[in-house]
Amino acid sequence: MIERQALVEVVEACLSDDLFLVDVAISADNHIVVEIDSHEGSVSIDDCVAITRAVEQAFDRDKDDYELEVGSAGLTSPFKVKAQYEKNIGNDVEVLTAQGSKLKGVLSEVGDDTFTIKVAKKVKPEGAKRPVIVEEDVTIKYSETKYTKYLIQFK
């Protein structure tokens, strides 16, 4: 069976400056899934082919008997690494907290342990007839989220 750390090292060695590793999963039956993403745009087929070839050179398919799948992180997939948060600063995101509340807002800041989103809330000022929309910063710890993902909106 292929060791995960050895596989991660091979993949990271062939990533360009624009690409980053999101996840490497190895199942019990040696089905390997490598997810990559790009800071600037999208992941090309050529990027996936280059990683596939590097892995196939490093690990003998006949000896290790593995199935390999290399692809980009899906647009609607939950974020798994800090670089995905950084890539999406300024974009609309949806967060499901560990307590079960769902927040939608604009990702505004990313730290080592937390991230911040701007959430629009309706607030009725004292003496006003109608509520007004106010933006509020909400800071959330990564450990207190079930998922965070890019929010696709059609306007």
Side-chain angles (χ1 to χ4, degrees):
M1 183 161 193
I2 296 174
E3 288 188 38
R4 185 180 188 282
Q5 187 56 40
L7 183 61
V8 167
E9 289 172 9
V10 168
V11 172
E12 286 182 336
C14 65
L15 292 176
S16 67
D17 291 339
D18 180 45
L19 299 174
F20 59 91
L21 181 63
V22 174
D23 193 23
V24 171
I26 304 173
S27 70
D29 61 346
N30 259 359
H31 179 84
I32 300 169
V33 178
V34 177
E35 281 184 83
I36 57 174
D37 204 344
S38 168
H39 292 288
E40 299 299 320
S42 60
V43 176
S44 73
I45 285 264
D46 294 334
D47 297 327
C48 296
V49 168
I51 292 169
T52 299
R53 288 185 178 146
V55 170
E56 287 175 343
Q57 282 182 338
F59 303 100
D60 183 12
R61 218 179 251 274
D62 294 330
K63 177 185 166 205
D64 294 312
D65 189 31
Y66 61 88
E67 180 182 346
L68 178 62
E69 181 181 329
V70 178
S72 64
L75 184 62
T76 59
S77 298
F79 300 164
K80 295 180 181 176
V81 294
K82 183 180 172 188
Q84 288 179 295
Y85 285 86
E86 292 169 345
K87 172 187 174 178
N88 283 287
I89 289 176
N91 291 332
D92 290 328
V93 294
E94 178 180 276
V95 179
L96 180 62
T97 65
Q99 293 79 25
S101 61
K102 196 178 277 191
L103 303 170
K104 294 178 183 179
V106 177
L107 184 61
S108 60
E109 195 175 316
V110 176
D112 289 335
D113 300 321
T114 62
F115 63 96
T116 304
I117 61 172
K118 289 190 180 293
V119 178
K121 289 188 172 186
K122 285 186 179 181
V123 177
K124 185 175 179 186
E126 195 172 317
K129 291 185 178 183
R130 295 184 182 190
V132 294
I133 296 176
V134 178
E135 283 192 345
E136 178 181 294
D137 285 342
V138 178
T139 301
I140 307 165
K141 291 183 179 180
Y142 296 114
S143 61
E144 294 176 356
T145 63
K146 287 189 178 179
Y147 70 76
T148 303
K149 61 184 180 180
Y150 178 74
L151 184 62
I152 299 174
Q153 293 188 20
F154 301 99
K155 296 179 182 182

